[in-house]
Amino acid sequence: LITPEGGGLEVDLCVNNRLGLRNSRLLLTYCTKDRRVLYLGRLMKALARGYEIVGTADGCLNSYAFMLMTVYFCVIKKVVPNLQKLPCEKEMVASWDVSFCSDISAVPDGDNDACVASLLLQMLRFYGWEFNWKRDAVCPRQATPGEAVNKFTLLLHWSTTEDQM
């Protein structure tokens, strides 16, 4: 992560990492589809920095993880549809399926028209009191409105998928 002096702009420099590039494009597509995803992600990262709970060196989540939490929340609360579940051309990076609908014009709008402030409060309540951290996983790829992603089922799914490769 590079932060130019006095600029306040953070740049994540990625060399020869096609998976990282594809993940960044996915986040960009969510943020472009609905600007509230961008604003919520920025607010979550700012809160995390303010409370000093961001940074893997300190045993905390990195800023990318806070963006994934934001996307997951926005999908399950119907702010945006799950771009990885919409019809699209299959794309693989190494053995990873990185497919998602990147054609914004083909992506339907979400059903949730709440303002950013309301969504932020809902997201804080969701992760602070409603989300079952012992049982569930934050997995945007598997996110479905109204359904939790069970981390143990997810681990079972990944282990059987790796066996097939």
Short mmCIF file of all heavy atoms in Angstrom, two decimals, residues 105-164:
data_model
loop_
_atom_site.label_atom_id
_atom_site.label_comp_id
_atom_site.label_asym_id
_atom_site.label_seq_id
_atom_site.Cartn_x
_atom_site.Cartn_y
_atom_site.Cartn_z
N SER A 105 -25.10 -2.05 -17.42
CA SER A 105 -26.42 -1.84 -18.04
C SER A 105 -27.30 -3.09 -17.94
O SER A 105 -28.52 -2.99 -18.01
CB SER A 105 -26.27 -1.41 -19.50
OG SER A 105 -25.67 -2.44 -20.26
N ALA A 106 -26.68 -4.26 -17.77
CA ALA A 106 -27.43 -5.51 -17.66
C ALA A 106 -27.76 -5.87 -16.21
O ALA A 106 -28.50 -6.83 -15.96
CB ALA A 106 -26.64 -6.65 -18.30
N VAL A 107 -27.24 -5.11 -15.28
CA VAL A 107 -27.45 -5.41 -13.85
C VAL A 107 -28.69 -4.67 -13.35
O VAL A 107 -28.77 -3.45 -13.46
CB VAL A 107 -26.21 -4.98 -13.02
CG1 VAL A 107 -26.45 -5.21 -11.53
CG2 VAL A 107 -24.97 -5.73 -13.49
N PRO A 108 -29.65 -5.42 -12.81
CA PRO A 108 -30.85 -4.75 -12.28
C PRO A 108 -30.51 -3.94 -11.02
O PRO A 108 -29.55 -4.23 -10.32
CB PRO A 108 -31.79 -5.91 -11.94
CG PRO A 108 -30.90 -7.09 -11.75
CD PRO A 108 -29.70 -6.87 -12.63
N ASP A 109 -31.31 -2.92 -10.77
CA ASP A 109 -31.14 -2.14 -9.55
C ASP A 109 -31.56 -2.95 -8.34
O ASP A 109 -32.37 -3.87 -8.44
CB ASP A 109 -31.99 -0.85 -9.61
CG ASP A 109 -31.47 0.12 -10.65
OD1 ASP A 109 -30.27 0.09 -10.95
OD2 ASP A 109 -32.29 0.91 -11.16
N GLY A 110 -31.02 -2.60 -7.18
CA GLY A 110 -31.43 -3.24 -5.95
C GLY A 110 -32.80 -2.74 -5.51
O GLY A 110 -33.31 -1.73 -6.04
N ASP A 111 -33.40 -3.42 -4.56
CA ASP A 111 -34.73 -3.05 -4.06
C ASP A 111 -34.69 -2.14 -2.84
O ASP A 111 -35.72 -1.73 -2.35
CB ASP A 111 -35.52 -4.31 -3.70
CG ASP A 111 -35.83 -5.17 -4.92
OD1 ASP A 111 -35.92 -4.62 -6.04
OD2 ASP A 111 -35.96 -6.40 -4.76
N ASN A 112 -33.50 -1.86 -2.33
CA ASN A 112 -33.35 -1.10 -1.10
C ASN A 112 -32.95 0.33 -1.46
O ASN A 112 -31.90 0.56 -2.04
CB ASN A 112 -32.27 -1.75 -0.22
CG ASN A 112 -32.14 -1.13 1.13
OD1 ASN A 112 -32.41 0.06 1.32
ND2 ASN A 112 -31.67 -1.91 2.08
N ASP A 113 -33.79 1.31 -1.11
CA ASP A 113 -33.48 2.69 -1.45
C ASP A 113 -33.09 3.53 -0.22
O ASP A 113 -33.15 4.75 -0.25
CB ASP A 113 -34.63 3.34 -2.20
CG ASP A 113 -35.92 3.41 -1.39
OD1 ASP A 113 -35.95 2.84 -0.27
OD2 ASP A 113 -36.90 4.02 -1.87
N ALA A 114 -32.67 2.87 0.85
CA ALA A 114 -32.27 3.58 2.07
C ALA A 114 -31.07 4.48 1.80
O ALA A 114 -30.23 4.19 0.95
CB ALA A 114 -31.94 2.58 3.18
N CYS A 115 -30.99 5.57 2.54
CA CYS A 115 -29.87 6.50 2.40
C CYS A 115 -28.61 5.90 3.05
O CYS A 115 -28.67 4.93 3.82
CB CYS A 115 -30.20 7.85 3.03
SG CYS A 115 -30.32 7.81 4.82
N VAL A 116 -27.46 6.48 2.74
CA VAL A 116 -26.18 5.99 3.23
C VAL A 116 -26.13 5.98 4.75
O VAL A 116 -25.67 5.01 5.36
CB VAL A 116 -25.01 6.82 2.64
CG1 VAL A 116 -23.69 6.44 3.29
CG2 VAL A 116 -24.93 6.65 1.14
N ALA A 117 -26.64 7.04 5.39
CA ALA A 117 -26.62 7.11 6.86
C ALA A 117 -27.41 5.96 7.47
O ALA A 117 -26.96 5.30 8.42
CB ALA A 117 -27.16 8.45 7.34
N SER A 118 -28.59 5.69 6.94
CA SER A 118 -29.42 4.60 7.44
C SER A 118 -28.73 3.26 7.21
O SER A 118 -28.71 2.39 8.09
CB SER A 118 -30.78 4.62 6.75
OG SER A 118 -31.55 3.51 7.13
N LEU A 119 -28.15 3.08 6.02
CA LEU A 119 -27.46 1.82 5.72
C LEU A 119 -26.25 1.63 6.63
O LEU A 119 -25.97 0.51 7.06
CB LEU A 119 -27.03 1.79 4.25
CG LEU A 119 -28.16 1.61 3.24
CD1 LEU A 119 -27.65 1.84 1.82
CD2 LEU A 119 -28.80 0.24 3.37
N LEU A 120 -25.53 2.70 6.93
CA LEU A 120 -24.38 2.59 7.82
C LEU A 120 -24.81 2.10 9.20
O LEU A 120 -24.21 1.19 9.77
CB LEU A 120 -23.63 3.91 7.93
CG LEU A 120 -22.43 3.92 8.88
CD1 LEU A 120 -21.36 2.95 8.40
CD2 LEU A 120 -21.85 5.32 9.02
N LEU A 121 -25.87 2.70 9.74
CA LEU A 121 -26.37 2.25 11.05
C LEU A 121 -26.83 0.80 10.99
O LEU A 121 -26.56 0.02 11.91
CB LEU A 121 -27.50 3.17 11.51
CG LEU A 121 -27.09 4.60 11.87
CD1 LEU A 121 -28.32 5.45 12.20
CD2 LEU A 121 -26.09 4.62 13.02
N GLN A 122 -27.52 0.43 9.92
CA GLN A 122 -27.96 -0.96 9.76
C GLN A 122 -26.77 -1.91 9.68
O GLN A 122 -26.80 -3.01 10.26
CB GLN A 122 -28.80 -1.11 8.49
CG GLN A 122 -30.16 -0.46 8.53
CD GLN A 122 -30.87 -0.57 7.19
OE1 GLN A 122 -30.86 -1.62 6.57
NE2 GLN A 122 -31.46 0.53 6.74
N MET A 123 -25.73 -1.50 8.96
CA MET A 123 -24.56 -2.35 8.81
C MET A 123 -23.83 -2.52 10.14
O MET A 123 -23.39 -3.63 10.48
CB MET A 123 -23.61 -1.79 7.74
CG MET A 123 -22.46 -2.72 7.42
SD MET A 123 -21.56 -2.40 5.88
CE MET A 123 -21.25 -0.67 5.95
N LEU A 124 -23.70 -1.46 10.90
CA LEU A 124 -23.06 -1.56 12.22
C LEU A 124 -23.86 -2.46 13.15
O LEU A 124 -23.30 -3.28 13.88
CB LEU A 124 -22.87 -0.17 12.82
CG LEU A 124 -21.88 0.74 12.09
CD1 LEU A 124 -21.92 2.15 12.66
CD2 LEU A 124 -20.48 0.17 12.11
N ARG A 125 -25.18 -2.32 13.12
CA ARG A 125 -26.04 -3.20 13.92
C ARG A 125 -25.91 -4.65 13.45
O ARG A 125 -25.81 -5.58 14.25
CB ARG A 125 -27.50 -2.74 13.85
CG ARG A 125 -28.44 -3.59 14.70
CD ARG A 125 -29.89 -3.12 14.73
NE ARG A 125 -30.31 -2.56 13.46
CZ ARG A 125 -30.68 -1.28 13.25
NH1 ARG A 125 -30.72 -0.46 14.17
NH2 ARG A 125 -31.03 -0.83 12.08
N PHE A 126 -25.91 -4.84 12.12
CA PHE A 126 -25.81 -6.18 11.56
C PHE A 126 -24.54 -6.89 12.02
O PHE A 126 -24.59 -8.00 12.55
CB PHE A 126 -25.87 -6.11 10.03
CG PHE A 126 -25.65 -7.44 9.35
CD1 PHE A 126 -26.64 -8.40 9.36
CD2 PHE A 126 -24.45 -7.72 8.72
CE1 PHE A 126 -26.44 -9.63 8.76
CE2 PHE A 126 -24.25 -8.94 8.10
CZ PHE A 126 -25.25 -9.90 8.13
N TYR A 127 -23.38 -6.26 11.82
CA TYR A 127 -22.13 -6.91 12.19
C TYR A 127 -21.87 -6.89 13.69
O TYR A 127 -21.17 -7.76 14.21
CB TYR A 127 -20.95 -6.29 11.43
CG TYR A 127 -20.91 -6.73 9.99
CD1 TYR A 127 -21.05 -5.82 8.95
CD2 TYR A 127 -20.75 -8.07 9.66
CE1 TYR A 127 -21.01 -6.23 7.62
CE2 TYR A 127 -20.73 -8.49 8.34
CZ TYR A 127 -20.86 -7.57 7.33
OH TYR A 127 -20.83 -7.99 6.02
N GLY A 128 -22.45 -5.92 14.40
CA GLY A 128 -22.24 -5.85 15.85
C GLY A 128 -23.13 -6.77 16.65
O GLY A 128 -22.71 -7.30 17.68
N TRP A 129 -24.37 -6.99 16.19
CA TRP A 129 -25.32 -7.75 17.01
C TRP A 129 -26.03 -8.89 16.29
O TRP A 129 -26.41 -9.85 16.93
CB TRP A 129 -26.39 -6.81 17.58
CG TRP A 129 -25.83 -5.93 18.65
CD1 TRP A 129 -25.67 -6.23 19.97
CD2 TRP A 129 -25.32 -4.61 18.49
NE1 TRP A 129 -25.09 -5.17 20.64
CE2 TRP A 129 -24.88 -4.15 19.75
CE3 TRP A 129 -25.20 -3.74 17.42
CZ2 TRP A 129 -24.33 -2.90 19.96
CZ3 TRP A 129 -24.65 -2.48 17.61
CH2 TRP A 129 -24.23 -2.09 18.87
N GLU A 130 -26.21 -8.80 14.99
CA GLU A 130 -27.01 -9.80 14.29
C GLU A 130 -26.19 -10.92 13.66
O GLU A 130 -26.60 -12.07 13.65
CB GLU A 130 -27.87 -9.13 13.21
CG GLU A 130 -28.86 -8.13 13.77
CD GLU A 130 -29.52 -7.28 12.70
OE1 GLU A 130 -29.43 -7.64 11.50
OE2 GLU A 130 -30.12 -6.25 13.04
N PHE A 131 -25.04 -10.58 13.11
CA PHE A 131 -24.21 -11.56 12.42
C PHE A 131 -23.64 -12.56 13.42
O PHE A 131 -23.10 -12.18 14.45
CB PHE A 131 -23.07 -10.84 11.68
CG PHE A 131 -22.27 -11.74 10.78
CD1 PHE A 131 -22.72 -12.03 9.51
CD2 PHE A 131 -21.06 -12.26 11.19
CE1 PHE A 131 -21.98 -12.85 8.66
CE2 PHE A 131 -20.32 -13.07 10.37
CZ PHE A 131 -20.77 -13.37 9.09
N ASN A 132 -23.77 -13.85 13.12
CA ASN A 132 -23.26 -14.90 13.99
C ASN A 132 -21.82 -15.23 13.58
O ASN A 132 -21.59 -16.03 12.68
CB ASN A 132 -24.15 -16.15 13.90
CG ASN A 132 -23.75 -17.21 14.90
OD1 ASN A 132 -22.59 -17.32 15.29
ND2 ASN A 132 -24.72 -18.00 15.31
N TRP A 133 -20.86 -14.61 14.25
CA TRP A 133 -19.45 -14.75 13.89
C TRP A 133 -18.93 -16.17 14.10
O TRP A 133 -17.97 -16.58 13.46
CB TRP A 133 -18.59 -13.75 14.66
CG TRP A 133 -18.84 -12.35 14.21
CD1 TRP A 133 -19.66 -11.43 14.78
CD2 TRP A 133 -18.29 -11.72 13.06
NE1 TRP A 133 -19.66 -10.26 14.06
CE2 TRP A 133 -18.81 -10.40 12.99
CE3 TRP A 133 -17.40 -12.13 12.06
CZ2 TRP A 133 -18.48 -9.52 11.97
CZ3 TRP A 133 -17.06 -11.23 11.06
CH2 TRP A 133 -17.61 -9.95 11.02
N LYS A 134 -19.56 -16.93 14.98
CA LYS A 134 -19.10 -18.31 15.22
C LYS A 134 -19.58 -19.27 14.13
O LYS A 134 -18.91 -20.26 13.85
CB LYS A 134 -19.61 -18.80 16.58
CG LYS A 134 -18.94 -18.11 17.74
CD LYS A 134 -19.43 -18.64 19.06
CE LYS A 134 -18.72 -17.92 20.19
NZ LYS A 134 -19.16 -18.38 21.50
N ARG A 135 -20.72 -18.97 13.50
CA ARG A 135 -21.32 -19.89 12.54
C ARG A 135 -21.23 -19.42 11.09
O ARG A 135 -21.06 -20.23 10.18
CB ARG A 135 -22.79 -20.11 12.91
CG ARG A 135 -23.53 -21.08 12.00
CD ARG A 135 -25.03 -20.98 12.13
NE ARG A 135 -25.46 -19.66 11.66
CZ ARG A 135 -26.51 -19.01 12.14
NH1 ARG A 135 -27.23 -19.52 13.10
NH2 ARG A 135 -26.84 -17.82 11.67
N ASP A 136 -21.33 -18.12 10.87
CA ASP A 136 -21.49 -17.61 9.51
C ASP A 136 -20.19 -17.04 8.93
O ASP A 136 -19.25 -16.75 9.65
CB ASP A 136 -22.59 -16.54 9.48
CG ASP A 136 -23.93 -17.09 9.90
OD1 ASP A 136 -24.16 -18.31 9.74
OD2 ASP A 136 -24.76 -16.32 10.40
N ALA A 137 -20.19 -16.88 7.61
CA ALA A 137 -19.04 -16.34 6.89
C ALA A 137 -19.46 -15.13 6.08
O ALA A 137 -20.59 -15.06 5.59
CB ALA A 137 -18.46 -17.41 5.96
N VAL A 138 -18.56 -14.18 5.95
CA VAL A 138 -18.75 -13.05 5.05
C VAL A 138 -18.22 -13.50 3.70
O VAL A 138 -17.01 -13.55 3.49
CB VAL A 138 -18.01 -11.79 5.54
CG1 VAL A 138 -18.12 -10.67 4.52
CG2 VAL A 138 -18.54 -11.36 6.89
N CYS A 139 -19.12 -13.87 2.80
CA CYS A 139 -18.72 -14.41 1.50
C CYS A 139 -19.62 -13.81 0.42
O CYS A 139 -20.69 -14.33 0.13
CB CYS A 139 -18.86 -15.93 1.51
SG CYS A 139 -18.35 -16.70 -0.03
N PRO A 140 -19.18 -12.68 -0.17
CA PRO A 140 -20.01 -12.04 -1.18
C PRO A 140 -20.42 -12.97 -2.33
O PRO A 140 -21.53 -12.89 -2.84
CB PRO A 140 -19.14 -10.89 -1.69
CG PRO A 140 -18.27 -10.56 -0.52
CD PRO A 140 -17.98 -11.89 0.13
N ARG A 141 -19.54 -13.87 -2.75
CA ARG A 141 -19.86 -14.78 -3.85
C ARG A 141 -21.10 -15.62 -3.54
O ARG A 141 -21.91 -15.90 -4.42
CB ARG A 141 -18.68 -15.70 -4.16
CG ARG A 141 -19.00 -16.78 -5.19
CD ARG A 141 -17.80 -17.59 -5.59
NE ARG A 141 -16.86 -16.85 -6.40
CZ ARG A 141 -17.04 -16.56 -7.69
NH1 ARG A 141 -18.13 -16.92 -8.30
NH2 ARG A 141 -16.12 -15.90 -8.36
N GLN A 142 -21.26 -16.02 -2.30
CA GLN A 142 -22.38 -16.89 -1.92
C GLN A 142 -23.56 -16.11 -1.33
O GLN A 142 -24.57 -16.71 -0.98
CB GLN A 142 -21.90 -17.92 -0.89
CG GLN A 142 -20.80 -18.83 -1.39
CD GLN A 142 -21.24 -19.68 -2.57
OE1 GLN A 142 -22.37 -20.12 -2.64
NE2 GLN A 142 -20.35 -19.87 -3.51
N ALA A 143 -23.43 -14.80 -1.22
CA ALA A 143 -24.46 -13.99 -0.56
C ALA A 143 -25.80 -14.06 -1.30
O ALA A 143 -25.85 -13.93 -2.51
CB ALA A 143 -24.00 -12.54 -0.45
N THR A 144 -26.85 -14.26 -0.51
CA THR A 144 -28.23 -14.27 -1.00
C THR A 144 -29.06 -13.50 0.01
O THR A 144 -28.95 -13.75 1.21
CB THR A 144 -28.76 -15.72 -1.11
OG1 THR A 144 -27.89 -16.45 -1.98
CG2 THR A 144 -30.17 -15.75 -1.66
N PRO A 145 -29.90 -12.57 -0.47
CA PRO A 145 -30.73 -11.81 0.48
C PRO A 145 -31.53 -12.74 1.40
O PRO A 145 -32.12 -13.71 0.97
CB PRO A 145 -31.66 -11.01 -0.43
CG PRO A 145 -30.88 -10.84 -1.69
CD PRO A 145 -30.11 -12.13 -1.84
N GLY A 146 -31.47 -12.42 2.70
CA GLY A 146 -32.24 -13.17 3.70
C GLY A 146 -31.64 -14.49 4.14
O GLY A 146 -32.21 -15.18 4.96
N GLU A 147 -30.47 -14.85 3.61
CA GLU A 147 -29.86 -16.14 3.98
C GLU A 147 -28.43 -15.92 4.47
O GLU A 147 -27.67 -15.16 3.88
CB GLU A 147 -29.81 -17.08 2.77
CG GLU A 147 -31.18 -17.52 2.28
CD GLU A 147 -31.08 -18.47 1.10
OE1 GLU A 147 -30.03 -19.15 0.96
OE2 GLU A 147 -32.03 -18.52 0.33
N ALA A 148 -28.08 -16.63 5.52
CA ALA A 148 -26.71 -16.58 6.03
C ALA A 148 -25.86 -17.59 5.27
O ALA A 148 -26.37 -18.58 4.74
CB ALA A 148 -26.70 -16.92 7.52
N VAL A 149 -24.57 -17.33 5.20
CA VAL A 149 -23.62 -18.26 4.59
C VAL A 149 -22.93 -18.99 5.74
O VAL A 149 -22.17 -18.39 6.50
CB VAL A 149 -22.57 -17.53 3.71
CG1 VAL A 149 -21.55 -18.51 3.17
CG2 VAL A 149 -23.26 -16.77 2.59
N ASN A 150 -23.21 -20.28 5.88
CA ASN A 150 -22.63 -21.07 6.96
C ASN A 150 -21.18 -21.39 6.63
O ASN A 150 -20.88 -21.97 5.59
CB ASN A 150 -23.44 -22.36 7.13
CG ASN A 150 -22.93 -23.20 8.28
OD1 ASN A 150 -21.85 -23.78 8.20
ND2 ASN A 150 -23.71 -23.27 9.33
N LYS A 151 -20.26 -20.99 7.51
CA LYS A 151 -18.84 -21.16 7.23
C LYS A 151 -18.42 -22.62 7.16
O LYS A 151 -17.51 -22.98 6.43
CB LYS A 151 -17.97 -20.39 8.22
CG LYS A 151 -17.96 -20.90 9.62
CD LYS A 151 -16.90 -20.21 10.48
CE LYS A 151 -17.41 -18.95 11.07
NZ LYS A 151 -16.46 -18.31 11.99
N PHE A 152 -19.10 -23.50 7.89
CA PHE A 152 -18.72 -24.90 7.88
C PHE A 152 -19.15 -25.57 6.58
O PHE A 152 -18.42 -26.39 6.02
CB PHE A 152 -19.29 -25.60 9.10
CG PHE A 152 -18.84 -24.94 10.38
CD1 PHE A 152 -19.71 -24.18 11.13
CD2 PHE A 152 -17.53 -25.04 10.80
CE1 PHE A 152 -19.30 -23.54 12.28
CE2 PHE A 152 -17.09 -24.40 11.96
CZ PHE A 152 -17.98 -23.65 12.70
N THR A 153 -20.31 -25.20 6.06
CA THR A 153 -20.75 -25.69 4.76
C THR A 153 -19.86 -25.14 3.66
O THR A 153 -19.52 -25.84 2.71
CB THR A 153 -22.22 -25.28 4.49
OG1 THR A 153 -23.03 -25.73 5.57
CG2 THR A 153 -22.73 -25.84 3.19
N LEU A 154 -19.45 -23.91 3.81
CA LEU A 154 -18.57 -23.26 2.84
C LEU A 154 -17.22 -23.98 2.79
O LEU A 154 -16.70 -24.26 1.71
CB LEU A 154 -18.36 -21.80 3.22
CG LEU A 154 -17.71 -20.88 2.24
CD1 LEU A 154 -18.49 -20.80 0.94
CD2 LEU A 154 -17.56 -19.49 2.83
N LEU A 155 -16.67 -24.32 3.94
CA LEU A 155 -15.40 -25.05 3.98
C LEU A 155 -15.54 -26.42 3.32
O LEU A 155 -14.66 -26.87 2.60
CB LEU A 155 -14.92 -25.21 5.42
CG LEU A 155 -14.40 -23.95 6.10
CD1 LEU A 155 -14.16 -24.21 7.59
CD2 LEU A 155 -13.13 -23.46 5.43
N LEU A 156 -16.67 -27.09 3.55
CA LEU A 156 -16.92 -28.39 2.95
C LEU A 156 -17.00 -28.24 1.43
O LEU A 156 -16.43 -29.03 0.68
CB LEU A 156 -18.21 -28.99 3.50
CG LEU A 156 -18.64 -30.33 2.93
CD1 LEU A 156 -17.60 -31.39 3.25
CD2 LEU A 156 -19.99 -30.72 3.47
N HIS A 157 -17.69 -27.21 0.96
CA HIS A 157 -17.81 -26.94 -0.48
C HIS A 157 -16.44 -26.73 -1.10
O HIS A 157 -16.14 -27.27 -2.16
CB HIS A 157 -18.71 -25.72 -0.72
CG HIS A 157 -18.69 -25.23 -2.13
ND1 HIS A 157 -19.36 -25.88 -3.14
CD2 HIS A 157 -18.08 -24.17 -2.71
CE1 HIS A 157 -19.16 -25.24 -4.28
NE2 HIS A 157 -18.39 -24.20 -4.03
N TRP A 158 -15.58 -25.92 -0.47
CA TRP A 158 -14.26 -25.65 -1.02
C TRP A 158 -13.38 -26.88 -1.04
O TRP A 158 -12.64 -27.10 -1.97
CB TRP A 158 -13.57 -24.53 -0.25
CG TRP A 158 -13.97 -23.17 -0.71
CD1 TRP A 158 -14.61 -22.86 -1.88
CD2 TRP A 158 -13.78 -21.95 -0.03
NE1 TRP A 158 -14.82 -21.52 -1.95
CE2 TRP A 158 -14.32 -20.92 -0.83
CE3 TRP A 158 -13.21 -21.61 1.17
CZ2 TRP A 158 -14.30 -19.59 -0.46
CZ3 TRP A 158 -13.19 -20.28 1.54
CH2 TRP A 158 -13.72 -19.29 0.73
N SER A 159 -13.46 -27.71 -0.01
CA SER A 159 -12.61 -28.90 0.02
C SER A 159 -13.03 -29.89 -1.06
O SER A 159 -12.19 -30.51 -1.67
CB SER A 159 -12.63 -29.55 1.40
OG SER A 159 -13.90 -30.06 1.70
N THR A 160 -14.32 -30.02 -1.35
CA THR A 160 -14.76 -30.93 -2.40
C THR A 160 -14.44 -30.35 -3.78
O THR A 160 -14.13 -31.07 -4.70
CB THR A 160 -16.26 -31.25 -2.30
OG1 THR A 160 -17.00 -30.04 -2.34
CG2 THR A 160 -16.58 -32.03 -1.04
N THR A 161 -14.47 -29.04 -3.91
CA THR A 161 -14.12 -28.39 -5.18
C THR A 161 -12.64 -28.58 -5.48
O THR A 161 -12.27 -28.88 -6.61
CB THR A 161 -14.44 -26.88 -5.13
OG1 THR A 161 -15.83 -26.72 -4.82
CG2 THR A 161 -14.14 -26.22 -6.46
N GLU A 162 -11.78 -28.44 -4.46
CA GLU A 162 -10.33 -28.63 -4.65
C GLU A 162 -10.02 -30.07 -5.03
O GLU A 162 -9.12 -30.32 -5.83
CB GLU A 162 -9.57 -28.25 -3.38
CG GLU A 162 -9.50 -26.76 -3.16
CD GLU A 162 -8.78 -26.39 -1.87
OE1 GLU A 162 -8.27 -27.31 -1.19
OE2 GLU A 162 -8.74 -25.21 -1.56
N ASP A 163 -10.78 -31.03 -4.49
CA ASP A 163 -10.57 -32.44 -4.82
C ASP A 163 -10.86 -32.70 -6.29
O ASP A 163 -10.28 -33.61 -6.89
CB ASP A 163 -11.44 -33.35 -3.95
CG ASP A 163 -11.01 -33.32 -2.50
OD1 ASP A 163 -9.87 -32.90 -2.22
OD2 ASP A 163 -11.83 -33.70 -1.63
N GLN A 164 -11.76 -31.94 -6.89
CA GLN A 164 -12.16 -32.16 -8.27
C GLN A 164 -11.17 -31.54 -9.25
O GLN A 164 -11.22 -31.82 -10.43
CB GLN A 164 -13.56 -31.57 -8.52
CG GLN A 164 -14.62 -32.28 -7.72
CD GLN A 164 -15.95 -31.54 -7.77
OE1 GLN A 164 -16.08 -30.49 -8.38
NE2 GLN A 164 -16.96 -32.11 -7.12
#
